[in-house]
Amino acid sequence: MDMTVAKKKLGLKEKYKLLTRDLGWEPTYHNKDEVFPYVKYEGIKVHDWEKWEDPFRLTMDAYWKYQAEKERKFYAIIDAHAQNNGHLNITDARYLSALKIFLQAISPGEYCAGKGFARMGREFPGVGTQVACQMQAIDEIRHAQTQIHALSNYNKFYNGFHAFADARDRMWYCTLPRSFFDDAMSAGPFEFMIAIGFSFEYVLTNLLFVPFMSGAAYNGDMATVTFGFSAQSDEARHMTLGLECIKFMLEQDPDNLPIVQNWIDKWFWRGFRLLGVVGTMMDYMLPKRVMSWREAFEIYGIENGGALFKDLARYGIRPPKGWDDAGKALDHMTHQFMLALYQYQFGTAFHSWIPSEEDMAWLSKKYPTTFDKYYRPRWEHIKKLKEAGTPYANMGLAKLCQTCQIPTVFTEPDDPTTLCHREVEYKGETYHFCSDGCQHIFEKEPEKYIQGWLPLAAIFQAPLNGDLGAWMEWVSLADGKDNGDFAGSEDQRNFEAWRNQATSNQ
Amino acid sequence: MSYQLTIEPLGQTVEVEEGQTILDAALRAGIYLPHACCHGLCATCKVQVVDGEIDHGEASNFALMDFEREEGKCLACCATAQDDLVIEAEIEEDPDAENLPVRDFDGVVSRIETLTPTIKGLWIKLDDPDGMRFQAGQYVNLELPGGIGSRAFSIASQPSAGEVELNVRIVPGGQGTGYIHEQMQAGDRVRITGPYGRFFVKKSARVPVLFMAGGSGLSSPRSMILDLLEEGFDLPITLVYGQRNREELYYHEAFLELAAKHPNFTYVPALSHEPEGSAWEGFRGFVHEAAKAHFDNDFRGCKAYLCGPPLMIESCIATLMQGRLFERDIYTEKFISAADAQQVRSPLFRSI
């Protein structure tokens, strides 16, 4: 009788090749330029797609298995969180503002990234690239969903969570991340990879996720910690895809260098601006803080980013143009942003508040050169106004930056007492900018940015015609519930009452 | 208490201490395993345990799934050994690696020569008549007496040479190199352990080779060049070799002779600090500058092997990359120290 020999198991490498690269084919009844119409117009020259490296060698069958188990674990914890009234375990209800901003401003970005990668999986000709983009598209949609599901428990009890999608589209502070993702999604495939794969996943993810998830852990929010862990196991793959794309472009042709440099300049600055929201959350909204925004940026931005730019210098890439301005903004940005949020608090779907004495002591310790000198006096003044029964509110419509779309509330890089405004005339119209970085981005592609939709302007247009109440309805903001000062809010009262019920016999 | 950790598909075995992670043991032994977060969250360092018991440490439940634990996967950055281990990592198999076993070799110092004011040549005749098998480019640990411990030196001679030659530059204040320069005598008994390292010529690629050497980094390239020429390698070989001044440029005449004898071997010496007006007619400047000029800033199509002080390596890598030669074709001798393993590096490059 013949010996039966067990079939040799395929090695990871062979299996990966069979399930990815070998699935590609050469089109015969259309030429490649017709099949992949967007891959050349950005000017990136590619000579050999086979040189694209796939460091993870993950095949679709294995991918489903991993993600399925992650989902099971995630939803088990989310269910437990709901059943055990996990919402009462957070430090106090001020923490909810951080969650609301995350849900309104960041989670929709994950969804946009999902849409973008689905498109890139179609537009890149290389098979390795297609597979990696496909997986990342599904990851990003999963991230958006798990975040929404995790936070939906809070929506049962608190205000400001219910209309995150409307907020994403129409709220003035959400247009910052929205314009970032809209800009990326309407770019060509290679630029999209720099925007999301490099800027968002490498430069920003650590700053966004690590401090935010640690913040959640410090403040007793298991649901958020869990989606953080569940997402972080995908991030290494995402970061690698972005970096692989940069290496690939730079190695394929020397003509790609200036194009890539320009994108790095642009997307570093756009990313830095986006982080203004996150930094403000870290410095002002976490009842129990992990580290200051400045400390986080020193570790994850300067140290890790610095290491990356040192390595990229071997290709001839220099640090992004806005690097120095970003450094100068470190000690000011979050304070200026929080002041802006506070003075427009009638128009935010979360609560803000005047920092307590204890908070201010912490801020002056973390920002010894700036807080006491420039920002504490303003808070003291605002506090006085409030005590006098005339709380400070800015009812004017702020000048918006045409690029990043936020009010021009930041100061000159070298003078923290002068607001930074830039103007450009283009085709007879005047456009405004918050910084040199945003102005430069506009000047490279004016035709793109003049089409930007700045939703805050809608307040003076028909049919709102300047009616604040109608505007609130339009952005799905419940006046007196979702907005305003934390002190005296329904969220504050309810949390205290429910927590008392849970921890005493009253 | 320590255990043996065998890393497949390399087949290389390294020591792992109680409580030391698999990743740390591998990196310190010069074996690169992919890794990123280093605390059990990102799963970049996932490896298969083929044999032996491990402790999973702090591996996150989302980074290392239950079914993977059952399949014997672990995260190298958190897992510690409870036993001798065999792991399988996603490392490319290297067709040029001979994976020679590491052994102890006793021998005697047959002669010591002054090569330059700062470098001595040391020849060791091994007791074993078959000598030591090694691949040109590899290194040995030399045991020194009096509690000094052992020091690593690249082998400067080719594998076919009867004796093992080491070139030792004196490190100011260095105990080990001080001993070799000042006290070691011909006739002393010594012990070496080796061969170590994964720095050798990728002969199977069949492309022209470029060596860039500076300071005391000449040993490995010299061994590799002598080995290649001896076995009749017929593609272009270029050595760009830099020292501070003419006095330090050891083996200069020998390389001139080799270049005269082998038309496929080109020798490009460069001096960075040679006094102006001296008789030197060769290139003045650093190794990377000499290479850029010699190759007219176009390194495509070759493989480059770099050996020398860290600053020289860094300049050479940047020069090669801007001359269109990239990571997959650049090799450097890596001694990864504990400090290197903790240094903040970007994940952009893996081996350079």
Side-chain angles (χ1 to χ4, degrees):
Chain A
M1 210 177 92
D2 289 342
M3 287 269 287
T4 48
V5 178
K7 212 173 180 182
K8 195 177 171 265
K9 219 179 137 194
L10 284 175
L12 272 175
K13 199 176 168 186
E14 290 89 33
K15 192 170 155 191
Y16 177 78
K17 192 166 187 307
L18 285 168
L19 286 170
T20 56
R21 300 273 168 127
D22 284 4
L23 294 179
W25 68 89
E26 284 298 313
T28 50
Y29 51 89
H30 278 291
N31 71 40
K32 269 202 146 168
D33 287 344
E34 289 169 325
V35 180
F36 302 108
Y38 298 108
V39 79
K40 285 186 178 160
Y41 86 96
E42 295 169 283
I44 293 291
K45 293 179 185 162
V46 174
H47 305 288
D48 183 4
W49 277 98
E50 284 300 307
K51 285 269 179 356
W52 181 283
E53 307 260 359
D54 313 294
F56 277 91
R57 292 202 192 128
L58 187 60
T59 52
M60 225 47 206
D61 58 332
Y63 175 81
W64 292 123
K65 219 168 140 186
Y66 289 124
Q67 304 304 42
E69 191 177 322
K70 279 187 204 171
E71 295 284 273
R72 278 197 300 277
K73 285 186 167 152
F74 172 77
Y75 284 103
I77 293 172
I78 295 303
D79 283 349
H81 182 260
Q83 283 166 17
N84 297 323
N85 281 327
H87 71 97
L88 294 178
N89 290 336
I90 57 172
T91 38
D92 79 54
R94 285 177 299 164
Y95 172 71
L96 297 168
S97 279
L99 290 182
K100 292 172 197 176
I101 295 183
F102 196 90
L103 182 65
Q104 295 164 19
I106 306 297
S107 302
E110 304 263 17
Y111 187 73
C112 294
K115 280 164 75 178
F117 276 104
R119 202 189 103 207
M120 299 319 141
R122 170 65 187 82
E123 288 182 4
F124 279 125
V127 180
T129 329
Q130 290 168 358
V131 173
C133 287
Q134 181 189 13
M135 285 176 192
Q136 189 163 348
I138 302 166
D139 288 340
E140 303 288 5
I141 288 175
R142 204 178 69 83
H143 293 179
Q145 287 174 342
T146 50
Q147 287 165 21
I148 293 163
H149 289 160
L151 298 181
S152 69
N153 277 333
Y154 292 96
N155 181 43
K156 293 178 196 157
F157 301 98
Y158 304 104
N159 297 320
F161 287 95
H162 65 288
F164 70 92
D166 290 343
R168 182 267 172 189
D169 281 347
R170 296 176 174 179
M171 263 300 182
W172 56 278
Y173 52 90
C174 291
T175 58
L176 172 59
R178 196 192 68 141
S179 70
F180 179 101
F181 283 100
D182 285 355
D183 193 350
M185 287 196 297
S186 54
F190 284 107
E191 185 181 349
F192 177 85
M193 293 296 279
I194 299 266
I196 307 300
F198 159 75
S199 174
F200 194 65
E201 299 287 351
Y202 186 81
V203 183
L204 307 185
T205 286
N206 280 332
L207 273 159
L208 187 65
F209 270 89
V210 181
F212 190 71
M213 298 309 149
S214 315
Y218 270 50
N219 288 282
D221 180 6
M222 271 315 290
T224 300
V225 171
T226 308
F227 81 60
F229 278 146
S230 159
Q232 207 189 341
S233 50
D234 299 324
E235 299 299 345
R237 194 155 28 81
H238 298 176
M239 190 185 282
T240 310
L241 178 58
L243 293 183
E244 215 43 69
C245 184
I246 293 198
K247 281 174 80 169
F248 180 70
M249 286 188 268
L250 293 171
E251 292 180 13
Q252 282 292 310
D253 198 285
D255 291 350
N256 296 342
L257 178 75
I259 303 175
V260 172
Q261 179 74 60
N262 182 32
W263 287 336
I264 286 179
D265 289 346
K266 168 177 170 181
W267 289 100
F268 169 78
W269 188 253
R270 294 227 64 175
F272 183 73
R273 270 286 175 261
L274 176 56
L275 280 174
V277 188
V278 182
T280 306
M281 218 156 66
M282 283 180 68
D283 278 346
Y284 282 88
M285 294 182 185
L286 298 178
K288 179 137 185 71
R289 298 182 192 87
V290 185
M291 55 170 87
S292 68
W293 146 253
R294 178 186 229 296
E295 288 164 329
F297 196 79
E298 272 169 359
I299 299 173
Y300 299 109
I302 298 178
E303 207 172 282
N304 292 357
L308 176 70
F309 288 114
K310 196 170 147 245
D311 280 347
L312 281 171
R314 291 166 164 182
Y315 289 106
I317 291 280
R318 53 162 176 69
K321 223 184 210 168
W323 186 259
D324 292 341
D325 281 352
K328 287 174 187 168
L330 267 193
D331 284 320
H332 300 280
M333 185 172 78
T334 59
H335 313 300
Q336 295 171 357
F337 205 88
M338 188 64 189
L339 282 160
L341 291 176
Y342 184 85
Q343 65 181 318
Y344 297 120
Q345 67 175 199
F346 57 90
T348 61
F350 56 86
H351 299 299
S352 46
W353 51 88
I354 298 169
S356 67
E357 276 310 315
E358 192 198 327
D359 289 341
M360 288 208 258
W362 184 87
L363 288 163
S364 62
K365 201 171 99 206
K366 295 296 179 182
Y367 295 92
T369 57
T370 56
F371 187 75
D372 286 344
K373 189 169 175 192
Y374 302 106
Y375 305 107
R376 183 190 285 270
R378 285 186 225 183
W379 285 116
E380 305 279 2
H381 179 67
I382 288 171
K383 204 167 149 187
K384 253 186 236 154
L385 288 176
K386 189 172 179 187
E387 280 161 5
T390 53
Y392 178 58
N394 184 342
M395 301 306 282
L397 180 57
K399 194 181 274 185
L400 300 178
C401 174
Q402 188 71 20
T403 304
C404 73
Q405 302 206 356
I406 49 165
T408 55
V409 296
F410 298 113
T411 52
E412 289 288 346
D414 294 308
D415 177 9
T417 61
T418 306
L419 279 179
C420 183
H421 284 159
R422 299 287 181 269
E423 281 182 15
V424 170
E425 287 276 328
Y426 184 76
K427 290 189 175 169
E429 292 275 347
T430 305
Y431 296 92
H432 305 282
F433 304 94
C434 69
S435 57
D436 290 333
C438 281
Q439 183 190 333
H440 293 153
I441 292 168
F442 176 92
E443 284 168 337
K444 297 247 178 197
E445 295 171 278
E447 286 296 326
K448 179 169 190 174
Y449 296 101
I450 59 170
Q451 299 174 59
W453 178 57
L454 283 63
L456 191 52
I459 194 167
F460 287 133
Q461 293 165 350
L464 303 179
N465 298 320
D467 178 345
L468 192 60
W471 175 80
M472 286 181 179
E473 208 168 299
W474 183 68
V475 295
S476 300
L477 181 76
D479 190 22
K481 287 183 172 224
D482 298 338
N483 57 356
D485 203 306
F486 173 74
S489 67
E490 199 171 71
D491 276 1
Q492 185 192 30
R493 286 199 309 275
N494 283 339
F495 180 81
E496 274 168 23
W498 293 331
R499 173 111 102 188
N500 273 337
Q501 274 177 5
T503 55
S504 72
N505 298 308
Q506 303 303 306
Chain B
M1 180 78 202
S2 70
Y3 301 103
Q4 299 285 312
L5 165 66
T6 304
I7 300 169
E8 301 288 2
L10 302 178
Q12 214 163 313
T13 300
V14 305
E15 294 265 300
V16 54
E17 297 296 324
E18 182 116 35
Q20 184 185 23
T21 65
I22 293 176
L23 177 66
D24 191 59
L27 290 178
R28 280 170 204 268
I31 299 171
Y32 179 87
L33 298 182
H35 62 280
C37 80
C38 292
H39 50 274
L41 293 180
C42 77
T44 309
C45 63
K46 200 179 290 169
V47 297
Q48 178 75 44
V49 180
V50 182
D51 194 31
E53 287 295 315
I54 53 117
D55 183 318
H56 284 295
E58 299 278 289
S60 152
N61 282 334
F62 286 101
L64 190 67
M65 299 293 166
D66 294 342
F67 75 85
E68 294 179 293
R69 292 171 199 241
E70 280 160 28
E71 287 170 3
K73 297 271 193 322
C74 74
L75 300 186
C77 72
C78 294
T80 51
Q82 305 284 308
D83 200 352
D84 285 348
L85 293 179
V86 180
I87 63 159
E88 193 176 352
E90 268 208 68
I91 307 174
E92 293 285 332
E93 265 181 272
D94 186 339
D96 295 297
E98 290 177 28
N99 294 319
L100 298 170
V102 173
R103 284 166 51 201
D104 296 330
F105 295 89
D106 291 316
V108 63
V109 177
S110 62
R111 64 190 162 109
I112 296 177
E113 271 181 29
T114 297
L115 297 173
T116 81
T118 61
I119 296 177
K120 283 205 195 283
L122 186 70
W123 280 261
I124 301 167
K125 185 165 174 51
L126 301 178
D127 298 348
D128 187 335
D130 294 333
M132 175 176 65
R133 280 191 65 201
F134 67 94
Q135 289 185 262
Q138 288 189 293
Y139 70 93
V140 292
N141 279 327
L142 171 66
E143 269 177 43
L144 297 169
I148 296 175
S150 64
R151 296 286 186 274
F153 296 105
S154 296
I155 305 169
S157 47
Q158 72 275 37
S160 66
E163 296 181 341
V164 171
E165 178 188 344
L166 307 178
N167 300 157
V168 180
R169 163 160 285 172
I170 189 159
V171 177
Q175 227 188 340
T177 60
Y179 177 86
I180 294 167
H181 271 252
E182 285 146 24
Q183 295 181 51
M184 194 174 263
Q185 302 286 339
D188 284 359
R189 300 274 313 157
V190 288
R191 169 175 284 187
I192 57 175
T193 309
Y196 290 108
R198 306 191 60 76
F199 188 59
F200 37 74
V201 177
K202 311 289 166 186
K203 295 175 183 172
S204 63
R206 293 287 303 151
V207 294
V209 290
L210 161 62
F211 295 97
M212 298 167 96
S216 57
L218 181 70
S219 296
S220 292
R222 176 166 179 260
S223 173
M224 293 154 120
I225 290 165
L226 294 174
D227 180 54
L228 285 173
L229 292 175
E230 204 171 86
E231 67 173 37
F233 186 83
D234 54 358
L235 296 168
I237 303 171
T238 308
L239 169 65
V240 184
Y241 168 37
Q243 290 291 7
R244 290 179 63 82
N245 51 46
R246 179 61 190 86
E247 247 191 334
E248 290 290 341
L249 196 73
Y250 66 109
Y251 287 137
H252 175 61
E253 283 78 13
F255 284 121
L256 287 175
E257 268 171 47
L258 280 176
K261 198 167 136 200
H262 299 276
N264 64 326
F265 175 60
T266 310
Y267 173 52
V268 183
L271 298 180
S272 58
H273 294 75
E274 177 69 2
E276 272 186 55
S278 76
W280 178 250
E281 286 175 359
F283 189 88
R284 286 170 189 263
F286 292 103
V287 171
H288 65 279
E289 296 164 338
K292 186 176 175 175
H294 182 79
F295 282 83
D296 197 18
N297 199 25
D298 184 356
F299 299 98
R300 283 176 298 182
C302 70
K303 282 193 181 282
Y305 301 87
L306 279 44
C307 228
L311 263 179
M312 181 209 109
I313 300 278
E314 193 49 47
S315 314
C316 287
I317 290 173
T319 302
L320 290 171
M321 287 186 42
Q322 287 172 38
R324 318 300 302 155
L325 193 75
F326 301 108
E327 186 174 19
R328 65 177 69 81
D329 295 312
I330 300 176
Y331 305 89
T332 67
E333 176 59 298
K334 275 253 173 210
F335 293 99
I336 299 179
S337 67
D340 292 333
Q342 283 165 9
Q343 204 190 345
V344 180
R345 284 217 48 187
S346 88
L348 198 65
F349 300 108
R350 300 167 149 232
S351 61
I352 55 172

